[in-house]
Amino acid sequence: MSISVGLSLDVSGLQTGEETARVAAALTAFLTEHDLERDVTVGEGASAGQVSAWSEYPIIVTRFGSWADKVEQGAHDTVRAVAPAAQVDLRWSFEDEDD
């Protein structure tokens, strides 16, 4: 069974400049590795020491539970490898749910 989800990720607590750019580049590479580069946009708030990633359209996923666990752990590991002190907030929205 497939499900439509949205992804939102915020990374804060970064040093402005180079560390923020490295986190953005690492997240972009991670998303490419997981074939999500067309679905998820990465943006930097370089002066604020923040990086965000978000999906503008639903991502259709099969076996969401195991897939989501891998994406969540991988995103956290990717950020921590570059910026161990950063805070990562990853949220899913479920597009198929009725309001």
Side-chain angles (χ1 to χ4, degrees):
M1 182 172 161
S2 297
I3 185 171
S4 297
V5 298
L7 177 122
S8 177
L9 179 126
D10 293 306
V11 181
S12 59
L14 300 170
Q15 296 175 11
T16 58
E18 187 177 325
E19 185 176 56
T20 300
R22 285 194 326 260
V23 168
L27 278 175
T28 299
F30 170 78
L31 293 168
T32 299
E33 178 182 325
H34 288 85
D35 198 28
L36 290 168
E37 72 277 5
R38 291 178 305 261
D39 299 311
V40 181
T41 302
V42 176
E44 293 179 51
S47 62
Q50 297 177 337
V51 173
S52 296
W54 62 93
S55 57
E56 293 186 36
Y57 303 99
I59 303 166
I60 300 171
V61 180
T62 304
R63 296 184 174 192
F64 175 75
S66 62
W67 179 84
D69 290 344
K70 290 177 187 173
V71 170
E72 289 175 25
Q73 188 63 52
H76 281 86
D77 291 348
T78 296
V79 171
R80 286 191 190 109
V82 177
Q87 292 83 46
V88 179
D89 180 25
L90 189 147
R91 296 170 310 284
W92 298 106
S93 59
F94 298 92
E95 308 296 327
D96 292 334
E97 290 183 355
D98 292 330
D99 290 334

